Amino acid sequence: MSGDHEGQSGSQSGGQSFEERLARARDGAGLDRPPPEGKPDTASDSGAMRLAMRLGVEMVAALVIAVVIGWGLDRLFHTRPWLMIAFVPLGAAAGLRNVFRAMGPERKN
Amino acid sequence: MAGPTIDALSQFRLTTGLGPIGRVVNFTNSNEMMLVAVAIIIVLFSVGLRTRSVVPGRLQSLVETLYEFVYGMCIDNIGEEGRKFFPLVFTIFIFILLGNLLGLFPYFFAYTSGIVVTLTMALFVFLFTTGVGFYVHGFRFLKFFVPDGVPGWLLPLLVPIEIISYLSRPVSLSVRLFANMTAGHVMLEVFAGFMILLTASLGVFGAVASIIPLGLNVALIALELLVACLQAYVFAVLTCLYLHDAVHMH
């Protein structure tokens, strides 16, 4: 399919480069899981338990930082509690980002 | 009746060491253990490397294994530039490892079970890696917070997320080590307390039954040995990964 698009005209190259960019972004964000043989420590129960603990800490840490930033900015601008509320979803997103990064493919050196 | 109770947290209480002088300058038992750890490291390495034989003895081989292990970790995770950061990573690794292992001995204080200690180390690593990033890349290091291949209108949303994610590094780094060490020591103390409680409340039968928590504690000590080494390794590896980010930006 993509070969057809490429052959037709230059206007389709926007879609092509979007696919490429998406693939690169997914790769960079660690969304495409590597084949399972690269993760030996999920094999045992205690390994999985440790992993769960680790990812939990990653999520909560980002949330805590976001709430602290929001609370501090609220104190600064006297806008309590709106900035703190705004920062909670940001913190949750950052926590998920941490988890994806921690679970993603091994970095290439 | 005021029978024995399980007091699992008093083991983390800081007291002052070194007599009256220590009381004046607030020299704590935690600091004492740090000095002991540093003394052990210095003695271990100076004695271990004194012979310098081609076929190493036990002590020399231990020291060389530790050295090569951390050296390989630096090169694998940071790349060739890892050579420059080896002293830092090695210091962090061996200091945490000794703290974790010494804490397992009875009456010894595990200084890595204090959030103050781990947070200080994590903040140092965080500030150092950020400094390295700005030193190597200048202000282009700020591009680290801009994920590439993203449309411009999403950036106001994504950049704060990246910054929060970056700022959460010292928190997760310190909490992980602190929580693992504290949880392990609390578990050991609780199971040991069970033995006293059983004996006090059930007499001879309780004393016989307390072999179960004793056995559990033996198993826990083995687990704690693993956790002690693993957490030192994790802290050092994450330091390497953060340095990799700072040097290569991706």
Side-chain angles (χ1 to χ4, degrees), chain A residues 21-22 24-25 50 53-54 57-58 61-66 69 87 90-91 93-94 97-98 101 107-109, chain B residues 75-77 148-151 157 160-162 164-165 167-169 171-172 175-176 226 230 238 241 244-245:
Chain A
R21 280 189 299 144
L22 183 64
R24 196 145 32 85
R50 264 204 309 279
M53 276 288 299
R54 195 184 137 203
V57 170
E58 295 277 358
L63 206 53
V64 165
I65 286 290
I69 292 174
F87 266 88
L90 283 182
R97 181 90 177 85
N98 280 349
R101 196 179 278 141
R107 288 152 213 254
K108 310 126 209 154
N109 288 320
Chain B
I75 300 291
D76 288 347
N77 288 304
D148 42 74
V150 167
L157 191 62
I161 289 177
E162 289 289 327
I164 291 171
S165 164
L167 289 178
S168 73
R169 281 173 170 190
V171 178
S172 61
V175 166
R176 190 177 300 123
L226 172 73
L230 197 75
L238 284 175
L241 286 181
H244 172 94
D245 279 349

Side-chain angles (χ1 to χ4, degrees), chain A residues 38-100:
Chain A
K39 283 265 172 274
D41 55 348
T42 51
S44 67
D45 275 354
S46 73
M49 189 67 208
R50 264 204 309 279
L51 201 65
M53 276 288 299
R54 195 184 137 203
L55 296 182
V57 170
E58 295 277 358
M59 276 220 66
V60 173
L63 206 53
V64 165
I65 286 290
V67 167
V68 166
I69 292 174
W71 183 79
L73 289 179
D74 270 340
R75 266 181 74 102
L76 207 60
F77 300 124
H78 305 288
T79 49
R80 201 191 311 234
W82 300 110
L83 283 176
M84 196 165 109
I85 292 173
F87 266 88
V88 165
L90 283 182
L96 285 174
R97 181 90 177 85
N98 280 349
V99 169
F100 280 126

Side-chain angles (χ1 to χ4, degrees), chain A residues 13-38:
Chain A
S13 69
Q16 178 81 11
S17 81
F18 172 74
E19 291 294 326
E20 273 172 13
R21 280 189 299 144
L22 183 64
R24 196 145 32 85
R26 286 181 70 92
D27 199 37
L31 282 174
D32 292 323
R33 293 288 309 281
E37 97 274 340

Side-chain angles (χ1 to χ4, degrees), chain B residues 148-226:
Chain B
D148 42 74
V150 167
W153 57 271
L154 267 178
L155 286 182
L157 191 62
L158 286 179
V159 170
I161 289 177
E162 289 289 327
I163 290 175
I164 291 171
S165 164
Y166 189 75
L167 289 178
S168 73
R169 281 173 170 190
V171 178
S172 61
L173 194 60
S174 58
V175 166
R176 190 177 300 123
L177 178 59
F178 154 76
N180 270 289
M181 297 320 293
T182 305
H185 284 268
V186 167
M187 272 207 294
L188 285 174
E189 180 98 32
V190 165
F191 282 118
F194 277 162
M195 290 192 271
I196 299 171
L197 280 186
L198 275 172
T199 318
S201 54
L202 297 177
V204 178
F205 177 70
V208 174
S210 65
I211 197 155
I212 299 168
L214 180 67
L216 276 172
N217 246 358
V218 171
L220 265 182
I221 284 283
L223 180 72
E224 284 308 307
L225 270 176
L226 172 73

Side-chain angles (χ1 to χ4, degrees), chain B residues 77-92:
Chain B
N77 288 304
I78 312 178
E80 274 308 300
E81 297 89 339
R83 235 176 273 271
K84 278 181 274 183
F85 301 111
F86 169 75
L88 172 75
V89 177
F90 190 78
T91 309
I92 288 174

